[in-house]
Every structure is written in structure tokens, then in C-alpha cells.
């Protein structure tokens, strides 16, 4: 079926006319009811869905009459594929039928934008589960992440989806927060670089990427989900916002607000954030969509709106364009406010202009639009699995090794609650754990090998669970100890069970009160260590945990985070030596006693000092990761000693592989600013590049860094580039610096803004 213009004068359907003119023409024809309908979503099947959003069953009412709800049109369809297990071919036909209903039931026949979650790949039954975002960060490889996102986007586009609710750009601030697993890491430059690559990949497939959560969500007090945020303007400007700036420059066309309030102002009702900052300063012209039920939260949870109408007015005024996931405040309450003169129709038109412009960009208003997808598409094809494997292998981090790895010719005791569980490889936004958990009688739909299965293919193995992720008995631990004694090496696979709203130890709404391993897992670890045999710890988790009490007794430690459906094969490859580990930590592992953890981005007084008895030094620092075959660093230098405040400096690093096996290094560049107007981090990442070296190969990395990379928010509240001395620390982690290069910024102090240079340019010869 195609939509055709019903009268010759329907200029808004002309695909050759300017977008703005088409939008104005259509808006002039629409009634208030038809306008508001384009700002709403409908979640079909919400009545049968398990809890997938906060307060879902309190705020959401299942649509009773679809035709009535769409009589004036509808803006968005929520999670047609991602609400329940639906075979791809069935989902494609269902979506096409639903779109036809939307088109035929309203006067203008405007199709809906269809959105889905895609944080670990498309959240649909039988779709590939890719590694979770912490694993993206651990790759330090934006090109690889871009290719992954392009593949995800291609699958989404082929089945009729238009918008993906990813990536998450929240910078990790407190490891106890349950959504740490959804972050890319604790450094804004790394988060921005990797997220921008994901955006570029998704958008290259024609899918609208959605940046979330704008802004400050991850800085909640005590790491509690939705808890108030109390950060200052410089932390917001220099830590929280830069990843969003970078991703907007990469072409993101949508932004989703944060649930949290900062200093008492919820993001969903903050015009300074959503309009002044996002629209006027950043020049963003896309759509702002509400995080699920966040408009209603203004009334029910934040207490800044008197009722649903007031909540809708506040959200529209702030700059939210579309209410998701389903009709609530932007429905009858908003219409009543317009009729009574309490809501300005100009607010509706402003949001509608953005919504319709995006629909035109997507081709939904063109005469030839047809709501038909590819019913034969394989959502877990060989290419997807190959990319998932590549990302997983590139993300595994070897944290320590006394020489026991790689394993060869040894009998293994594989122990632990994560060893024989397919779900151990997946984050909370993967379809099996996000949706499939509510349908226990439905098969997973994809093959996800366990670590036990992957290791059994290479080694003689005995197995004992030892304990579940939480709970367990003394007898189970005793059995694990006896099993360990039957082998040469014990491989303990510990970590988290991802879930939602208390159904896991990691994930949305699954915050931690401390950073001890969940349940009795540390007790199990101690019991196996007590045998005196070599113990290799494999950690599959959504956050780093405190391993300081055992680290010096462990033979090796490997971090896999949530490495996706190919993660077990990647881990087995690293343990066996087929894969040389090249992942680097996107987030620090806490040291002893870190009950209130911070990140490496701290000023001098946030480091170890004589004025506090608490040592915040991490056990494994940001950027850390070992290799079986490390490259040799031969030269680090710069020809410049002066660095113009409006110019560039160049740093070169010469690496040589003196071994007979290929290797990979991650060259990391950090800025140290010894004197500034405000207290600055001792060291912050300004660039990193992954370098592959064949046996015997020498490669030269040249980094061109613009002085804008030294900018920070000064006492005036504006971002500035100072004159004076700085240092570039070049090394293999934030704590392992090979060379400190001293330079002097010369010229005039400059103020810079959104158009500043935010990344170095790398050349590898």
C-alpha cells in the first residue's frame, strides 16, 4: 500500500519542496487534536508486557480502542518487536498492518515513527545480542563500534523501525549505580568518542539515534536510580555534557531527557537545559523525546506539576516534543489546557514542526511511502555474529597474570554461578533478560554458549556451581572446594545477574549498597583460594567490584563485563591464548575500603593524601589492561615546546613488535594542567588510539592535538583555553605513564564553545 496525495494542492507531500515549507503547509491544515496526536506514542500490548519501564503499570493504561486513539493520527509506535517474543516475520507483518491502520484511520494518513531499544543490539526476539556498552568502551576502538552499530541499524531499517533509543552517554560517577553496565565508562572523552561512533553507524543505516539521558542522570546521590543530583555547573559542563556535544556533532537526530532532578529542577521541565543549552547553544534541530513516563513523573514523583495538564505544559515549555511511551499527559489533559487557554498552542506548533520535519527526513510523508518491511530478514545472521565476536574479543581485559595464562594442557575446575549460565553474557537491555524473562516457556531464540561450554571445547573440565549469584549453602561451597582439588587450575566465573527493578544485581533499578561481590561469591572465592591451587578469576559483571582482599593471591584476573552472545567464545579464546587480550578498562576497579567510590577524574585533594585515612587509589586504574605479547615503546616525543592557544601540537609515539606473534597496543594521551583558575583533574584523557602490529612491525603514531582540548569551564562559567604550562602524559593507562611532555600554551586566552575541536587527529604509519 502507498499513501497518495488526496488533492492536487497538498504541497506538504511534495518530496522536492523544502522541508520547512512542507511542514508549515501541513501544520496550517491541522486541528489542535491532530497536532497533539503527532506528539504522542502508543504502546501496543503494554497490558501483556512485563515491567520494562519504571512505574509502568502505575502510569500506563492499555489502549482500549486503537482506531479511536489513532483517529487523529499518532506520532510514535512503541516497541512493536520489543514487548513480547515475536518472530521477525510475524513482527514485520504486524507492523505493516498496524501502520496501515494508522494511515487509514486519520485524515492526513501520516505514518507513525517506530522506535525500539538497541543498546545491546535490537531488543527483539531472535536478534543478535551484542556486547553491552561497558564492553564497547573496553575496546577503545570507535571504528569497530561504528561497524557494529551500522549492522544493528541495517537490521532495524529492514524490518520497518525508524528510531533506536541508544546510545547511553551518561558518564559513570558512582559504581554502585545499577545502570553502570549501560554506560561506556567513567571518562567523558572515551564516552563521547565511542558513543559518536555508535551514532555514526546507526545513522548511516537511516536510523534516528537517540542520546540519553540528557543530562546528569548518572550522578545521582549514593548511586541510587532516579535519586536527586547535586552537581555543580563545572561538573555538568566538563564531565557530563561533552559526550552529548560530541555525539550531536556526529549526527544524532534525537535526544531523551534524564529522569533525575539536578539541584531540584527535573530535566523534563528544565528549559535552560532542553532549550537554551540544547537548541540555542548547541544548535540542535532534531526531536526531544521523553524518557518513558517522565512527563507524568513531574506530577506524581517530582511534585513540580499540579496535575497531568500542568506536567504537559511544563514539559512542552522546557522543550520536550514527544511523550513516550504511550498516551498520557499529552492526550486529553493537554487538549483541555488548550481549550481553556492555559496552554499556548504555539508550544504545540513548535514541537510539531520538529516532529514533522523528522518524519519528512525519514520519507514518511512522501507519496511513495509503503509500510512494508523485509519479512525474510535474519536478525542473527553470520555477519552479525562475526561482528559480535570481534567486539567481544576486543573488549576482554586481562587485569593481572602471574604467568598461568594462557592455559595449555591443564585440567580445569570451572566453578561459579556465572560459568554455566547463558544469561551471564548479557546486560539488562538484552531481549532475553529485558523481555524474555517474563516468558519462561519461550526459548531464548538465539544460541548463547556458556563459559563452561566454551572452555570444555579446549580443555578437560570438571564443574561445580559453588553458589548462586545471591544465596547458596555451605554444602555447595564445600562441593566446589572438592571439585577444585581435582584439577590443575581453578577458573572461577563470578559476577552479576542483570535484571530490572530489583530482579538482578546489576541493571536499571538494581543499585548496590557496597562494592562487595553479590551474595556468597566472595566466600566461595576465599574457599577455593584456600586450597592453595592457582585460581583464575573471570568476572562477568555490570560494574567493577572490590577484589582488593584477594588480588595478591589470584593467579590471574580477567574482566569480561557483559560480552554478548559470542562472549564465552571470546573469553575462552583469551584464556587459551588464541586471542591476545587487547581490552582496556573504561572504568576503574576500586581499591580497599572504597565504599563511596569516585572516578579517576579528581583534583589533587581527591587522591591519596595525609589529610584523610581513606585511600581512594584504584586497584586497577582507568585505561589498564595487559597483553600476552606487549609492544615495545621505543620513542615518545614532540617537536614543539610552544603550543599556540589557537593552534596544534604534534606528539609521536614509535611502537615496535619484537615478537613472533601479532599484538595490539592502546596509546593513551592525558592532559595535566598544573595551574588553572579552578581545581582541575590531576589527569584527564584527551585522546587514545588502538594500534595493531604484525610480528616484527614498527609503527609510528602521530597525534595532532588542538589547544581546544585543554579548555575547561573557568570561574566566569565560560569555557576557556589558558596560556601557561601544561603536560601531556603519554602511556598505557591513567596510572602508567611512559613519558610526560612539557609544553607552554602561548598567545592570548581564548573562549571556546560548542564548535571547539573535541578530538585529536591520529595518523598511523
Amino acid at each position: 500500500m502507498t499513501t497518495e496525495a488526496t488533492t492536487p494542492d497538498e504541497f506538504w507531500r511534495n518530496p522536492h519542496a523544502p522541508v520547512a515549507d512542507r511542514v508549515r503547509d501541513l501544520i496550517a491544515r491541522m486541528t489542535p487534536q491532530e497536532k497533539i496526536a503527532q506528539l504522542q506514542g502508543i504502546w501496543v500490548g503494554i497490558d501483556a508486557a512485563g515491567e520494562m519501564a519504571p512505574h509502568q503499570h502505575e502510569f500506563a493504561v492499555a489502549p482500549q480502542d486503537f482506531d479511536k486513539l489513532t483517529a487523529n493520527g499518532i506520532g510514535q509506535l512503541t516497541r512493536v518487536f520489543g514487548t513480547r517474543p515475536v518472530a521477525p516475520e510475524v513482527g514485520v507483518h504486524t507492523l505493516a498492518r498496524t501502520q496501515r491502520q494508522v494511515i487509514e484511520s486519520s485524515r492526513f494518513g501520516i505514518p507513525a515513527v517506530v522506535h525500539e531499544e538497541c543498546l545491546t543490539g535490537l531488543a527483539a526476539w531472535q536478534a543478535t545480542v551484542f556486547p553491552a556498552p561497558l564492553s564497547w568502551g573496553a575496546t577503545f576502538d570507535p571504528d569497530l563500534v561504528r561497524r557494529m552499530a551500522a549492522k544493528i541499524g541495517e537490521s532495524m531499517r529492514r524490518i520497518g523501525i525508524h528510531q533506536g533509543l541508544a546510545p547511553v552517554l551518561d558518564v559513570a560517577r558512582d559504581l554502585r549505580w545499577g545502570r553502570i553496565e549501560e554506560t561506556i565508562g567513567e571518562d567523558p572523552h572515551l564516552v563521547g568518542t565511542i558513543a559518536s561512533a555508535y551514532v555514526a553507524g546507526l545513522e548511516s543505516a537511516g536510523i534516528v539515534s537517540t542520546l540519553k539521558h540528557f543530562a546528569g542522570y548518572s550522578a545521582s546521590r549514593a548511586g541510587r536510580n532516579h535519586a536527586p543530583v547535586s552537581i555543580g555547573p563545572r561538573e555538568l559542563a566538563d564531565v557530563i555534557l561533552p559526550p552529548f556535544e560530541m555525539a550531536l556533532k556526529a549526527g544524532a537526530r534525537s535526544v531523551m531527557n534524564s529522569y533525575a532532578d539536578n539541584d531540584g529542577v527535573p530535566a523534563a521541565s528544565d528549559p535552560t537545559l532542553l532549550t537554551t543549552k540544547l537548541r540555542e547553544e548547541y544548535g540542535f534541530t532534531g526531536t526531544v523525546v521523553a524518557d518513558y513516563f517522565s512527563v507524568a513523573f513531574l506530577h506524581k514523583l517530582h511534585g513540580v506539576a499540579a496535575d497531568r495538564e500542568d506536567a504537559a505544559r511544563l514539559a512542552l515549555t522546557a522543550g520536550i516534543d514527544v511523550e513516550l511511551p504511550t498516551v498520557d499527559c499529552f492526550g486529553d489533559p493537554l487538549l483541555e489546557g488548550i481549550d481553556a487557554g492555559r496552554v499556548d498552542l504555539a508550544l504545540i506548533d513548535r514541537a510539531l514542526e520538529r516532529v514533522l520535519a523528522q518524519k519528512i527526513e525519514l520519507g514518511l510523508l512522501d507519496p511513495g511511502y509503503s509500510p512494508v518491511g523485509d519479512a525474510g530478514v535474519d536478525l542473527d545472521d553470520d555477519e552479525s555474529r562475526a561482528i559480535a565476536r570481534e567486539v567481544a574479543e576486543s573488549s576482554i581485559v586481562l587485569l593481572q597474570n602471574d604467568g598461568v595464562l594462557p592455559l595449555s594442557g591443564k585440567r580445569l575446575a570451572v566453578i561459579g554461578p556465572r560459568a554455566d549460565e547463558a544469561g551471564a553474557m548479557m546486560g539488562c537491555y538484552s531481549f532475553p533478560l529485558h523481555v524474555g524473562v517474563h516468558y519462561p516457556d519461550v526459548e531464548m531464540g538465539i544460541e548463547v554458549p556458556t563459559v563452561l561450554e566454551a572452555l570444555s571445547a579446549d580443555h578437560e573440565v570438571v564443574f561445580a556451581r559453588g553458589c548462586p549469584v545471591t544465596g547458596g549453602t555451605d554444602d555447595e561451597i564445600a562441593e566446589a572446594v572438592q571439585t577444585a582439588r581435582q584439577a590443575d587450575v581453578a577458573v572461577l566465573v563470578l559476577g552479576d545477574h542483570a535484571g530490572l527493578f530489583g530482579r538482578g544485581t546489576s541493571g536499571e533499578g538494581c543499585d548496590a549498597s557496597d562494592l562487595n561481590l553479590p551474595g556468597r561469591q566472595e566466600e566461595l572465592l576465599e574457599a577455593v583460594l584456600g586450597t592453595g591451587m592457582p585460581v583464575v578469576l573471570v568476572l562477568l559483571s555490570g560494574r567493577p567490584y572490590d577484589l582488593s582482599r584477594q588480588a595478591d593471591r589470584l593467579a590471574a584476573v580477567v574482566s569480561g563485563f557483559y560480552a554478548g552472545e559470542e562472549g564465552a567464545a571470546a573469553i575462552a579464546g583469551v584464556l587459551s591464548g588464541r586471542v591476545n587480550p587487547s581490552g582496556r578498562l573504561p572504568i576503574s576497579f576500586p581499591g580497599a575500603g572504597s565504599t563511596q567510590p569516585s572516578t579517576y577524574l579528581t583534583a589533587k585533594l581527591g587522591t591519596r593524601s595525609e589529610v584523610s585515612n581513606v585511600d581512594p587509589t584504584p586497584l586497577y586504574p582507568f585505561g589498564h589492561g595487559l597483553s600476552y605479547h606487549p609492544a615495545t615503546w621505543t620513542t615518545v616525543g614532540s617537536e614543539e615546546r610552544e603550543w599556540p592557544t589557537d593552534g596544534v601540537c604534534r606528539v609521536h609515539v614509535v611502537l615496535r613488535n619484537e615478537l613472533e606473534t601479532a599484538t595490539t597496543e592502546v596509546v593513551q594521551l592525558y592532559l595535566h594542567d598544573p595551574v588553572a583558575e579552578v581545581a582541575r583533574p590531576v589527569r584527564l584523557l584527551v585522546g587514545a588510539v588502538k594500534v595493531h602490529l604484525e610480528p616484527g612491525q614498527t609503527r609510528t603514531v602521530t597525534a595532532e592535538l588542538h589547544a581546544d582540548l585543554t579548555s575547561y569551564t573557568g570561574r566566569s562559567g565560560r569555557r576557556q583555553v589558558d596560556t601557561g604550562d601544561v603536560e601531556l602524559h603519554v602511556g598505557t593507562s591513567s596510572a602508567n605513564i611512559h613519558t610526560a611532555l612539557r609544553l607552554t600554551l602561548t598567545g592570548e586566552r581564548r573562549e571556546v564553545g560548542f564548535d571547539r575541536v573535541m578530538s585529536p587527529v591520529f595518523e598511523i604509519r
Side-chain angles (χ1 to χ4, degrees):
M1 173 185 173
T2 60
T3 59
E4 299 292 343
T6 56
T7 61
D9 65 339
E10 285 185 324
F11 176 78
W12 57 275
R13 284 208 188 276
N14 182 356
H16 305 295
V19 172
D21 292 345
R22 294 174 67 184
V23 168
R24 280 193 295 269
D25 180 71
L26 180 54
I27 289 178
R29 302 169 185 271
M30 300 174 78
T31 66
Q33 292 91 336
E34 290 167 332
K35 292 178 178 180
I36 290 174
Q38 291 298 315
L39 312 184
Q40 302 169 346
I42 293 180
W43 193 345
V44 180
I46 191 174
D47 52 332
E51 190 174 13
M52 294 183 284
H55 297 274
Q56 175 179 315
H57 296 298
E58 177 182 353
F59 290 107
V61 178
Q64 301 300 312
D65 188 335
F66 186 83
D67 289 337
K68 182 179 178 180
L69 283 170
T70 59
N72 291 303
I74 198 69
Q76 293 232 1
L77 292 174
T78 294
R79 305 200 65 182
V80 176
F81 291 86
T83 296
R84 58 193 179 279
V86 177
E89 60 273 15
V90 174
V92 167
H93 290 305
T94 300
L95 175 55
R97 184 175 66 249
T98 303
Q99 282 283 35
R100 291 189 186 101
Q101 288 180 264
V102 171
I103 291 167
E104 293 171 354
S105 63
S106 62
R107 183 162 66 108
F108 293 103
I110 302 172
V113 168
V114 182
H115 74 260
E116 292 286 355
E117 299 284 358
C118 56
L119 194 63
T120 61
L122 171 61
W125 193 50
Q126 298 183 349
T128 302
V129 176
F130 290 88
L134 270 182
S135 293
W136 310 352
T139 69
F140 274 72
D141 191 339
D143 183 65
L144 177 57
V145 171
R146 180 194 57 76
R147 289 194 287 115
M148 176 190 73
K151 183 58 182 175
I152 294 169
E154 176 192 332
S155 296
M156 296 171 73
R157 178 179 51 78
R158 289 180 62 185
I159 60 176
I161 299 168
H162 308 108
Q163 182 169 2
L165 303 187
V168 169
L169 280 79
D170 296 298
V171 178
R173 302 300 285 160
D174 188 324
L175 299 180
R176 296 170 296 179
W177 192 44
R179 303 190 81 167
I180 288 293
E181 65 169 77
E182 298 178 51
T183 74
I184 295 169
E186 69 181 52
D187 179 87
H189 182 81
L190 178 66
V191 172
T193 300
I194 297 295
S196 295
Y198 184 94
V199 165
L202 205 65
E203 292 279 355
S204 73
I207 299 297
V208 175
S209 60
T210 307
L211 311 182
K212 57 187 190 182
H213 307 86
F214 194 70
Y217 187 26
S218 58
S220 60
R221 291 179 190 160
R224 293 182 62 249
N225 198 36
H226 291 206
V229 172
S230 299
I231 57 175
R234 265 169 286 280
E235 184 174 351
L236 181 68
D238 291 353
V239 177
I240 302 298
L241 292 179
F244 289 94
E245 297 178 75
M246 296 172 75
L248 288 172
K249 292 178 181 180
R253 289 183 284 172
S254 190
V255 170
M256 177 178 278
N257 68 282
S258 162
Y259 280 125
D261 72 79
N262 185 18
D263 197 26
V265 181
S269 64
D270 187 355
T272 301
L273 182 67
L274 298 182
T275 296
T276 305
K277 178 67 68 176
L278 182 62
R279 301 285 185 186
E280 297 172 8
E281 185 176 333
Y282 295 171
F284 179 64
T285 59
T287 57
V288 175
V289 299
D291 203 348
Y292 285 13
F293 309 114
S294 63
V295 178
F297 289 177
L298 296 175
H299 166 49
K300 290 290 188 177
L301 298 183
H302 290 296
V304 298
D307 50 31
R308 291 192 299 164
E309 176 195 312
D310 196 28
R313 179 186 60 80
L314 286 174
L316 280 167
T317 301
I320 287 180
D321 302 316
V322 180
E323 181 183 27
L324 296 181
T326 198
V327 183
D328 188 45
C329 301
F330 278 21
D332 290 338
L334 186 55
L335 187 60
E336 292 168 5
I338 292 171
D339 290 342
R342 293 185 295 268
V343 177
D344 189 349
L345 189 59
L347 291 174
I348 308 297
D349 288 349
R350 184 180 70 171
L352 183 59
E353 287 175 0
R354 299 160 183 163
V355 168
L356 293 179
Q358 196 154 91
K359 288 194 173 188
I360 288 173
E361 289 177 0
L362 291 167
L364 300 183
L365 271 61
D366 291 351
Y369 170 75
S370 177
V372 177
D374 184 354
V377 66
D378 182 355
L379 298 180
D380 190 33
D381 63 326
D382 291 344
E383 183 183 355
S384 295
R385 293 193 74 100
I387 295 175
R389 172 78 71 93
E390 191 176 352
V391 176
E393 289 180 347
S394 187
S395 71
I396 306 301
V397 187
L398 177 60
L399 297 176
Q400 70 179 57
N401 182 25
D402 69 359
V404 70
L405 296 181
L407 300 169
S408 178
K410 293 183 172 64
R411 177 178 170 87
L412 305 182
V414 179
I415 296 168
R418 301 286 77 193
D420 197 26
E421 290 286 341
M425 312 312 302
M426 297 180 281
C428 73
Y429 267 76
S430 64
F431 186 88
L433 299 187
H434 198 75
V435 180
V437 67
H438 301 292
Y439 299 87
D441 296 330
V442 177
E443 62 182 18
M444 189 178 293
I446 54 175
E447 283 189 37
V448 184
T450 68
V451 172
L452 177 62
E453 290 169 338
L455 288 175
S456 296
D458 293 324
H459 304 274
E460 183 183 354
V461 167
V462 291
F463 169 69
R465 185 178 71 159
C467 67
V469 172
T470 57
T473 66
D474 292 347
D475 289 343
E476 287 180 295
I477 294 176
E479 179 190 0
V481 169
Q482 292 304 314
T483 300
R485 291 195 170 109
Q486 301 172 32
D488 303 313
V489 176
V491 178
L492 261 68
V493 190
L494 308 180
D496 281 313
H497 169 65
L500 293 172
F501 311 117
R503 295 194 299 272
T505 59
S506 171
E508 185 173 358
C510 298
D511 309 316
S513 58
D514 59 47
L515 294 177
N516 297 321
L517 284 164
R520 301 186 69 177
Q521 291 184 83
E522 184 173 357
E523 189 177 346
L524 172 64
L525 177 57
E526 285 287 356
V528 177
L529 281 169
T531 65
M533 67 183 308
V535 175
V536 175
L537 172 61
V538 175
L539 193 63
L540 302 178
S541 63
R543 64 167 65 83
Y545 283 103
D546 182 0
L547 306 177
S548 62
R549 290 174 291 277
Q550 294 82 32
D552 61 350
R553 290 175 285 150
L554 289 165
V557 181
V558 174
S559 173
F561 296 117
Y562 291 133
E565 65 181 53
E566 290 289 321
I571 289 167
V574 168
L575 295 183
S576 69
R578 288 193 309 276
V579 176
N580 183 28
S582 65
R584 302 293 185 264
L585 282 181
I587 193 165
S588 307
F589 269 65
S594 296
T595 55
Q596 294 192 0
S598 60
T599 74
Y600 92 102
L601 289 175
T602 182
K604 187 173 182 178
L605 284 174
T607 63
R608 183 177 183 178
S609 70
E610 296 179 353
V611 299
S612 173
N613 64 312
V614 176
D615 182 1
T617 304
L619 178 64
Y620 307 116
F622 173 84
H624 171 71
L626 303 179
S627 169
Y628 295 145
H629 315 292
T632 300
W633 288 54
T634 63
T635 307
V636 178
S638 173
E639 282 71 35
E640 291 98 357
R641 289 295 174 263
E642 292 189 348
W643 189 358
T645 57
D646 60 353
V648 300
C649 77
R650 293 171 184 82
V651 174
H652 63 266
V653 179
V654 180
L655 303 173
R656 186 169 65 249
N657 182 7
E658 299 175 340
L659 305 172
E660 296 180 357
T661 305
T663 191
T664 301
E665 181 62 275
V666 179
V667 176
Q668 302 170 39
L669 293 87
Y670 296 87
L671 177 72
H672 171 61
D673 189 351
V675 179
E677 276 189 359
V678 299
R680 301 198 63 196
V682 173
R683 191 172 288 139
L684 71 157
L685 188 73
V686 292
V689 64
K690 202 161 195 175
V691 185
H692 181 77
L693 296 103
E694 293 295 331
Q697 186 176 31
T698 297
R699 305 191 78 180
T700 299
V701 178
T702 300
E704 182 178 280
L705 300 100
H706 197 281
D708 286 359
L709 293 170
T710 70
S711 67
Y712 66 97
T713 303
R715 294 175 64 181
S716 67
R718 294 185 291 273
R719 183 173 290 278
Q720 63 195 45
V721 178
D722 285 348
T723 59
D725 295 336
V726 295
E727 294 179 5
L728 288 174
H729 293 179
V730 187
T732 57
S733 80
S734 59
N736 187 19
I737 302 303
H738 182 280
T739 303
L741 302 172
R742 295 172 176 81
L743 300 104
T744 301
L745 285 156
T746 60
E748 301 293 330
R749 171 186 283 188
R750 297 171 53 241
E751 289 188 358
V752 297
F754 178 73
D755 61 349
R756 71 191 183 277
V757 178
M758 300 189 71
S759 296
V761 177
F762 287 102
E763 180 184 1
I764 302 175
R765 301 191 307 276

